[in-house]
Amino acid sequence: MNITGLSALVTGGGSGMGAATARHLARLGAKVTVLDVNKDAVAAVAAEIGGLGLTCDVSSAASAEEAVATAAAAHGPARILVNCAGVAPAKRIVGRDGPMALDDFRRVIDINLIGTFNLLRLAADGMAKLDPLDSGERGVIVNTASVAAYEGQVGQAAYAASKGGVVALTICAARDLARHGVRVMTIAPGLIGTPMLLNMPQEVQDSLAATVPFPKRFGQPEEYARLVQHIVENEMLNGDVIRLDGAIRMAPQ
C-alpha cells in the first residue's frame, strides 16, 4: 500500500512511539489524525505535522466514535490505523497493603486492550466500506503489544495481561477482516526510549540498556515508526506479531 495521500489514525499520538509514527506518516504524505487524551500534546503534534489533533479516550465507545467520525469528515475514512495508546503502571498482585485493587487492573485492560479493540472495530468498519485498491486491499491496522506479553515481570500483571490480549487478538482479527481486504499486524516493542524510560536516573537507564543483547541501547520511537511504514507497504505481512526488542528476553524483575 502506497502511503502517500492516504488517511491515517494514530492513537497515543501525543508522545513517544505514537508521536514519532504520526510525524513519519505525515512526512510520507499521509493525512494524519492524532488521537490522545492529552489535549495540549495532541494539539502540538498535530500543528507540527499539519494534521488534525483530537482529544480521545480510547476506552470510551462514545469518545472513539466521535473522533473517528470527525477524522473521516476531515480526511476521509482511514486506510491506516496505528494503535499506540496505552498505560504501564506497576503494581504487585499482593503488596504490602493487600491485594491489588480490582479497579487498578480493570483500568489497564480498559485502555490497553479494550481501547485497542475499540479503535480497531471502528476503523475496520470504515475501511470495509471503501473501494478496494488495485490489489483488493482496503486498509491496514497496526496494534502495539509489548515483550511483556511474553515475559511479564514482577508487578506487570495487568500490563502483561492487557498486552497478551492484544497479541491473541492479532490473528483472530486478521482472519475476521480478511474478507474485507483489511490486514492486522502487531508490534511488540522491548525497551524503547520513550519519556517513561528517559525520565529514569541515568544509572538506571544504563543498567537497563545493558540487558539488550544487541544493540546495547534503547530502541528509538522512530524505529517503531519505520517498522509501521514497512508493515503498511508490505502486503504479505498479516496476522502476526513482530518483536522490536534487540533480542531481549525480560528477567523476572
Side-chain angles (χ1 to χ4, degrees), residues 227-238:
L227 181 53
V228 168
Q229 176 190 351
H230 182 71
I231 289 170
V232 173
E233 293 178 340
N234 190 331
E235 193 177 67
M236 281 303 292
L237 289 175
N238 193 17

Side-chain angles (χ1 to χ4, degrees), residues 86-128:
V87 293
K91 185 167 287 190
R92 290 175 181 259
I93 297 171
V94 178
R96 294 177 181 175
D97 300 324
M100 177 193 299
L102 189 58
D103 282 346
D104 291 342
F105 187 89
R106 181 179 288 114
R107 175 176 176 268
V108 179
I109 300 297
D110 279 348
I111 295 171
N112 293 1
L113 179 55
I114 293 177
T116 293
F117 180 77
N118 192 17
L119 269 294
L120 180 149
R121 71 183 180 96
L122 296 173
D125 181 60
M127 292 172 185

Side-chain angles (χ1 to χ4, degrees), residues 97-179:
D97 300 324
M100 177 193 299
L102 189 58
D103 282 346
D104 291 342
F105 187 89
R106 181 179 288 114
R107 175 176 176 268
V108 179
I109 300 297
D110 279 348
I111 295 171
N112 293 1
L113 179 55
I114 293 177
T116 293
F117 180 77
N118 192 17
L119 269 294
L120 180 149
R121 71 183 180 96
L122 296 173
D125 181 60
M127 292 172 185
K129 296 170 183 174
L130 292 170
D131 292 334
L133 302 175
D134 290 344
S135 65
E137 189 174 20
R138 286 186 171 89
V140 182
I141 296 169
V142 181
N143 296 324
T144 304
S146 166
V147 295
Y150 305 98
E151 302 111 33
Q153 295 185 294
V154 169
Q156 287 188 327
Y159 183 67
S162 70
K163 294 303 188 178
V166 173
V167 168
L169 175 63
T170 307
I171 184 61
C172 182
R175 288 170 168 172
D176 199 322
L177 298 173
R179 67 192 183 99

